[in-house]
Amino acid sequence: MRAFPKTMANSSIVRRTRRVAADSVMELSPLQDGGEDTEGDDDNNLEDRKSPRNRSCSLKRILASIVKEILVVLPLPVFLLLLWALVQFSVRQLLVWRSPGEFNAEIARKHLDSITAFGPRPVGSPENEILTVNYLLSQIEFIRQESNQTAHTITVDVQRPTGYRNSGYFINYYDNITNIVVKLEPRGGEGAQHAVLANCHFDSAPNSPGASDDAVSCSIMLEILRSLSNQSTPLTHGILFLFNGAEESGLQASHGFITQHPWAKLVRAFINLEAAGIGGKEIVFQIGPNSPWLVKAYALAAVHPFASVVGQDIFQSGAIPSITDFRVFTEFGNISGIDMAFFENGYLYHTKFDTPDRILTESIQRAGDNILAVIKHLATSNELSASVQYQHDSMVYFDLLGVYLVAYPARTGTIINCIVAVVTFIYLINRMFLPNGGRYWKSFLYIPFVTVGGLIIAAGIIAGIINLTGRAMFWYNYFYAAVFLYGSASVTVLQLIVFLEKNWCCGPHHKVSHFVLAELYFDVSLMLWSLALVYLTVKGWCSAYVPLMMVVFPLSTKLFCCHSFTQCGSTVKYLLGLSLPYMHITFLIWLVLESFCAILGRSVGDESLDIVMAFLITGSTLILATYLVPIFYLSKCTKEILFLCVSVFVAMGVLVLCGTFFPFSSDPASPRPKRIFLEHTTRTIHDLTGQVVTKNSGVWITSMDYTGMDHVTPHIPEINDSIRVDCRSTAQDCSFSCLQFAITKQWYLPAPEVHPKHALNFTLLDRHETPWGTTNLTFEVLGPSQLFLHLKTKNGTQLKNWSFTSGDGHSGERNVSIYRGLSSSAWHFWLEMKVNETNSEDGIISIAVASQYVHGDDQNTDMLKDLMQRFPDWSFPSHSVSTRHFFVF
């Protein structure tokens, strides 16, 4: 119990205060070490205050109260600021330890500059299939000549596979694409029987230089090849370097390698190098499946470890709409690997701003140090040759601010989680069944519902108002404005709950101490984290280590350092006990917000992204507040803190609603472009005889974010809602990007007809009946490197078989995307169908053929050039030309 003031002039006050203290102890018997509320000290009578002695004592009490309040409140903002500063320092400190010196980032940067100098490199373009391929081959040959040929041999193979991958809604077909495969193996003997694979892709998204995605990874691999080939000590196993030339088109080149190349059977493990942002640290976000030996290899070898199993759980849950070559290697090659990617500054991903000057040399150096060390470790390990024997369990892994990687088996983690959960529940049950536990149970149950419900309602209302007033996506360019808006709103709700509880429960009729409320909220937070621990453990998620940390450290601090909040004296001990889990969870929050803010800014659909962002920030605030709210209960400045939070919220709300924060930016140092896709197309509809029935041309305009064309219309008035098309009701009329990106609305601007030099030629070569009663159609297609087919059977016709996959009597719609390397020859495919003869007069199948031109002269038209110049500088209009023909057979 807290000590009472020794000097009290009025003996009745002394008796009354003691009586209140006694009542409080009885009232909060579940927490016998609670303290009493001394806010009633202000009712000393006027006569006592007039005496000099009492005035001196009153002044001392005031000073003591101020000091005590400072010790309670001040450490909290200092604690949060130090956490955020430490996380930011860790993120910006690219080279944690001194580089070993085996990898030369300057040489890798020269490769990066040379590859990106060719410009955008979409599949089928000369820049991708000729210029980049020739450059890579010339550099590989130079490395081979300069290598230590007494210890190693280098073999190069250029593969041009043809095949298909069934990705669900689309059949992804590829023809004559390019892979460059380099095998580094020890000299002598029969050659390497086992190998580790390093994979990158040198193609890029259309209209983007692709420096980070993925030219920098290919540059790093070239330098790693040079470094390893010059070492005098022979490797134990081989290393395959796969420079694949078709990733952006649907992971085709990696599929062609792993399913068709003879060296693929040597691969026992792989490292996939990717990017979802530009520069910064490369994060390991997937390892496996079920390969603890790979986690241990990375933990032992990585010079600057940066990995999180939380990223693996989030990515594999489907929350991030993306896949990498990792899936192809694991699914079709049945091998385990490590997936790593650059992820910072994802606002510039797949844009013209993805240039080499935005990638720091230190970023290249740390990635090169890590990848070289891990590859070298795997190529000399005993586990590689018997990798299947070590695939038995998942691993929990996470780094501590990039300094050290913690890793342990998931099975061990499950045991630890269960023990901690049982101990925690015993502790909580013991608290609940102390005298007067009924009130404790009641408070224990309603506090979580009131808190979480209030936060959800507040976040939803605020986000809804922002959407209705046309200020959506302000957070895309001003992320910290969203943090202050939604964060202050969340803290306001929490502080309001604290204020009401202190007034209701600590009033003259209830006499419940503030210390008891603090203890109660701590126990509620402990219960919520324990439930999260149990849930994630039952689900089998390795991310359960996060709630484990948020249970073990606070509970240990409470039991051993700070048994009761009245014994702390100040909050410093308490916060020190929380520092490690809060440091880690603050880093995870930054990681999630950094990734999702950029992802949401390039997401299409009808869902309100502001609500998603509001819930993300509100949830992050709640996570951080769980064990910090008890400090609010100890503070006597509840009204002042509440007023401060309301003031910040109102100020930020006014600024947002007044349009101060524009969502996009053309700042060269930190651009936040609005992504727009323009497709100038001519649509031609043919009848059963092949005659043209309808032909029209226009530019399909797609907004790749939630705001549509609201911000573009003032600059280009003719692009407005009057020309908007709902693709859900008229899917055939919209561009083929509707099928690719599940777009629901586009804008259509009439335009002149397009006349590409390499025009599409679609011909029915043969139609005949088979002896087994089916109809066979054979077609010839001549066109650009990217084609799309949409097939729809009619009148009960069934597709029994076709060139791509087994038909299996399918009726309905099928979609095929075709990507081709350098080839001008015609391409053929056939269909075999079971026809319903009684109802086939108006055709048995309709076929839509689209040709898309994303490189060369055919990519541009005068209409597109003029239109693109009118877009504001804070936008990034990506463009292409296409033709679409609709046939019935």
Side-chain angles (χ1 to χ4, degrees):
M1 303 289 288
R2 250 179 19 191
F4 288 98
K6 293 182 179 179
T7 304
M8 287 201 178
N10 195 320
S11 60
S12 66
I13 295 178
V14 174
R15 289 193 300 271
R16 182 166 60 85
T17 307
R18 289 174 179 170
R19 185 169 61 251
V20 170
D23 292 341
S24 298
V25 171
M26 294 179 64
E27 185 72 55
L28 26 127
S29 52
L31 299 170
Q32 295 292 339
D33 52 359
E36 77 287 349
D37 182 15
T38 60
E39 290 184 0
D41 290 347
D42 291 338
D43 60 356
N44 288 316
N45 58 49
L46 183 61
E47 208 173 288
D48 292 331
R49 277 179 282 187
K50 287 183 178 180
S51 66
R53 183 178 178 184
N54 283 335
R55 282 200 300 269
S56 175
C57 292
S58 298
L59 181 60
K60 289 180 180 179
R61 286 197 299 270
I62 292 172
L63 291 176
S65 178
I66 293 174
V67 171
K68 187 175 293 186
E69 186 68 17
I70 291 175
L71 291 176
V72 169
V73 177
L74 184 60
L76 180 56
V78 173
F79 175 72
L80 293 175
L81 288 174
L82 286 176
L83 281 181
W84 193 253
L86 187 61
V87 169
Q88 290 300 308
F89 175 78
S90 171
V91 170
R92 304 304 167 210
Q93 188 70 15
L94 296 178
L95 299 177
V96 179
W97 308 110
R98 184 177 179 180
S99 176
E102 296 180 342
F103 181 89
N104 191 327
E106 295 297 338
I107 297 178
R109 175 165 286 284
K110 292 179 181 178
H111 293 314
L112 175 62
D113 292 337
S114 298
I115 294 173
T116 54
F118 299 134
R121 303 172 302 281
V123 175
S125 66
E127 292 81 5
N128 188 68
E129 310 297 336
I130 298 176
L131 298 179
T132 305
V133 168
N134 289 343
Y135 175 80
L136 291 173
L137 290 175
S138 65
Q139 294 303 309
I140 293 169
E141 177 59 23
F142 177 77
I143 292 171
R144 189 188 67 81
Q145 293 178 0
E146 297 294 322
S147 65
N148 187 340
Q149 300 186 16
T150 61
H152 309 96
T153 61
I154 295 178
T155 309
V156 184
D157 181 60
V158 178
Q159 181 198 23
R160 302 198 182 271
T162 295
Y164 69 89
R165 188 173 74 88
N166 191 340
S167 56
Y169 192 63
F170 270 93
I171 301 296
N172 199 321
Y173 182 85
Y174 54 90
D175 177 43
N176 201 37
I177 57 176
T178 306
N179 277 328
I180 299 176
V181 193
V182 183
K183 180 165 66 172
L184 177 68
E185 58 185 340
R187 179 172 291 278
E190 299 179 356
Q193 302 301 309
H194 313 281
V196 56
L197 171 70
N199 174 68
C200 70
H201 68 89
F202 56 84
D203 66 312
S204 73
N207 306 292
S208 174
S212 185
D213 186 25
D214 193 32
V216 66
S217 298
C218 294
S219 304
I220 290 172
M221 280 176 45
L222 283 174
E223 172 56 14
I224 291 175
L225 174 61
R226 184 203 65 80
S227 177
L228 290 175
S229 65
N230 280 287
Q231 294 185 0
S232 58
T233 304
L235 299 169
T236 305
H237 307 293
I239 302 174
L240 298 181
F241 296 86
L242 173 59
F243 302 87
N244 86 65
E247 190 270 351
E248 300 292 354
S249 53
L251 317 179
Q252 297 166 330
S254 58
H255 182 269
F257 168 79
I258 203 65
T259 59
Q260 301 178 35
H261 201 284
W263 291 350
K265 64 181 70 173
L266 303 176
V267 179
R268 302 293 178 265
F270 68 89
I271 296 179
N272 183 53
L273 311 181
E274 257 296 350
I278 299 186
K281 291 185 174 183
E282 84 294 341
I283 183 172
V284 172
F285 62 97
Q286 289 188 101
I287 301 181
N290 299 328
S291 298
W293 69 281
L294 281 178
V295 179
K296 294 176 182 177
Y298 180 83
L300 291 172
V303 183
H304 318 284
F306 191 47
S308 176
V309 75
V310 175
Q312 176 171 304
D313 285 343
I314 293 176
F315 193 85
Q316 294 182 356
S317 70
I320 298 178
S322 178
I323 58 174
T324 69
D325 288 325
F326 180 94
R327 176 181 292 187
V328 173
F329 294 137
T330 56
E331 181 178 341
F332 295 95
N334 196 27
I335 52 179
S336 300
I338 301 174
D339 207 2
M340 58 179 64
F342 297 100
F343 73 98
E344 289 186 39
N345 206 6
Y347 308 94
L348 312 183
Y349 172 72
H350 282 188
T351 70
K352 65 181 180 181
F353 300 104
D354 186 6
T355 52
D357 59 289
R358 298 185 185 276
I359 303 175
L360 298 178
T361 302
E362 291 81 1
S363 182
I364 300 175
Q365 184 67 56
R366 65 160 283 121
D369 289 341
N370 283 337
I371 299 166
L372 172 58
V374 175
I375 289 177
K376 188 175 179 181
H377 178 90
L378 292 175
T380 56
S381 67
N382 296 325
E383 290 87 352
L384 188 72
S385 58
S387 58
V388 178
Q389 300 177 11
Y390 298 96
Q391 295 182 4
H392 52 78
D393 193 14
S394 299
M395 288 284 284
V396 178
Y397 59 91
F398 58 93
D399 71 281
L400 297 175
L401 295 181
V403 177
Y404 180 75
L405 189 76
V406 178
Y408 55 89
R411 188 177 306 170
T412 303
T414 300
I415 296 173
I416 296 173
N417 296 348
C418 293
I419 293 174
V420 170
V422 170
V423 171
T424 304
F425 288 133
I426 291 175
Y427 166 82
L428 292 173
I429 291 172
N430 180 61
R431 305 272 285 177
M432 292 177 181
F433 284 98
L434 288 173
N436 201 21
R439 178 183 215 116
Y440 192 86
W441 271 102
K442 183 178 178 181
S443 301
F444 205 78
L445 293 175
Y446 86 80
I447 286 179
F449 289 102
V450 172
T451 302
V452 176
L455 290 173
I456 291 175
I457 293 172
I461 292 175
I462 297 169
I465 293 173
I466 289 174
N467 272 325
L468 291 175
T469 55
R471 305 305 179 191
M473 280 186 62
F474 73 95
W475 41 263
Y476 189 63
N477 190 27
Y478 294 94
F479 170 70
Y480 284 101
V483 171
F484 278 101
L485 177 67
Y486 296 115
S488 62
S490 302
V491 177
T492 298
V493 171
L494 294 172
Q495 191 65 15
L496 180 62
I497 294 173
V498 171
F499 175 76
L500 295 176
E501 286 184 338
K502 288 176 72 173
N503 280 272
W504 291 342
C505 300
C506 303
H509 300 292
H510 297 282
K511 306 182 183 67
V512 177
S513 170
H514 298 172
F515 297 106
V516 173
L517 293 178
E519 298 274 358
L520 177 61
Y521 202 96
F522 177 89
D523 291 344
V524 170
S525 300
L526 195 64
M527 178 195 68
L528 293 177
W529 280 111
S530 300
L531 292 176
L533 174 63
V534 171
Y535 176 78
L536 294 180
T537 302
V538 172
K539 293 285 289 185
W541 282 30
C542 294
S543 299
Y545 83 88
V546 176
L548 175 68
M549 294 177 67
M550 295 298 286
V551 170
V552 170
F553 283 89
L555 183 58
S556 301
T557 301
K558 188 73 167 50
L559 293 176
F560 301 112
C561 299
C562 211
H563 181 65
S564 169
F565 283 106
T566 59
Q567 297 175 353
C568 291
S570 70
T571 55
V572 175
K573 285 184 182 179
Y574 179 66
L575 292 176
L576 285 176
L578 300 179
S579 57
L580 183 59
Y582 264 72
M583 176 184 66
H584 187 69
I585 207 163
T586 303
F587 164 76
L588 291 178
I589 288 173
W590 171 85
L591 186 66
V592 170
L593 293 179
E594 172 75 16
S595 302
F596 275 89
C597 187
I599 292 173
L600 292 175
R602 60 175 186 262
S603 299
V604 295
D606 295 332
E607 297 81 8
S608 174
L609 301 179
D610 282 82
I611 291 180
V612 177
M613 180 56 65
F615 286 160
L616 281 175
I617 297 177
T618 300
S620 301
T621 305
L622 178 60
I623 288 173
L624 292 175
T626 47
Y627 291 113
L628 302 182
V629 168
I631 297 176
F632 293 156
Y633 284 104
L634 302 180
S635 171
K636 294 182 180 180
C637 301
T638 306
K639 294 180 181 178
E640 291 77 2
I641 296 175
L642 180 59
F643 177 77
L644 177 62
C645 294
V646 171
S647 300
V648 173
F649 168 68
V650 171
M652 291 305 305
V654 170
L655 291 174
V656 171
L657 295 179
C658 290
T660 307
F661 306 113
F662 189 68
F664 309 107
S665 171
S666 59
D667 180 10
S670 182
R672 296 290 187 271
K674 175 181 176 61
R675 299 162 189 258
I676 301 168
F677 186 71
L678 308 176
E679 183 181 339
H680 191 178
T681 184
T682 294
R683 187 181 67 148
T684 306
I685 299 178
H686 305 261
D687 60 15
L688 264 174
T689 63
Q691 299 298 314
V692 176
V693 176
T694 304
K695 178 180 285 190
N696 51 53
S697 300
V699 177
W700 286 104
I701 305 168
T702 306
S703 173
M704 305 303 289
D705 61 59
Y706 178 72
T707 62
M709 290 292 146
D710 294 343
H711 300 294
V712 175
T713 301
H715 299 268
I716 311 177
E718 57 266 39
I719 302 178
N720 53 60
D721 285 345
S722 66
I723 62 170
R724 191 173 71 178
V725 178
D726 188 351
C727 297
R728 290 169 294 190
S729 58
T730 56
Q732 186 180 17
D733 296 332
C734 291
S735 70
F736 270 79
S737 57
C738 288
L739 298 175
Q740 292 177 277
F741 304 109
I743 295 169
T744 59
K745 57 187 177 183
Q746 290 184 306
W747 287 256
Y748 183 75
L749 193 63
E753 183 178 349
V754 299
H755 299 282
K757 296 178 182 178
H758 301 87
L760 174 69
N761 189 356
F762 186 77
T763 307
L764 174 63
L765 294 181
D766 178 63
R767 175 171 183 163
H768 67 272
E769 306 298 321
T770 64
W772 45 90
T774 60
T775 300
N776 193 293
L777 306 179
T778 302
F779 299 93
E780 179 182 82
V781 185
L782 183 63
S785 58
Q786 295 189 19
L787 299 168
F788 299 91
L789 298 178
H790 177 74
L791 292 79
K792 184 176 182 180
T793 57
K794 303 179 64 176
N795 301 321
T797 299
Q798 290 185 336
L799 180 63
K800 301 296 292 183
N801 208 349
W802 60 342
S803 302
F804 307 103
T805 61
S806 175
D808 296 328
H810 180 84
S811 60
E813 300 183 31
R814 303 298 293 265
N815 297 285
V816 185
S817 61
I818 301 108
Y819 291 84
R820 309 180 69 201
L822 278 183
S823 176
S824 58
S825 60
W827 172 68
H828 300 83
F829 73 95
W830 53 266
L831 308 173
E832 183 181 353
M833 292 168 290
K834 179 66 175 179
V835 180
N836 184 353
E837 298 292 347
T838 61
N839 194 20
S840 59
E841 293 80 6
D842 59 343
I844 59 176
I845 189 170
S846 62
I847 301 178
V849 187
S851 60
Q852 193 166 20
Y853 302 87
V854 295
H855 58 82
D857 295 336
D858 286 340
Q859 184 189 8
N860 296 286
T861 63
D862 293 337
M863 173 72 178
L864 277 179
K865 292 178 180 178
D866 294 339
L867 186 60
M868 289 176 62
Q869 290 178 355
R870 299 175 60 191
F871 277 90
D873 54 2
W874 41 258
S875 65
F876 170 62
S878 180
H879 65 286
S880 70
V881 170
S882 69
T883 61
R884 291 185 292 154
H885 293 263
F886 296 85
F887 298 93
V888 179
F889 299 96

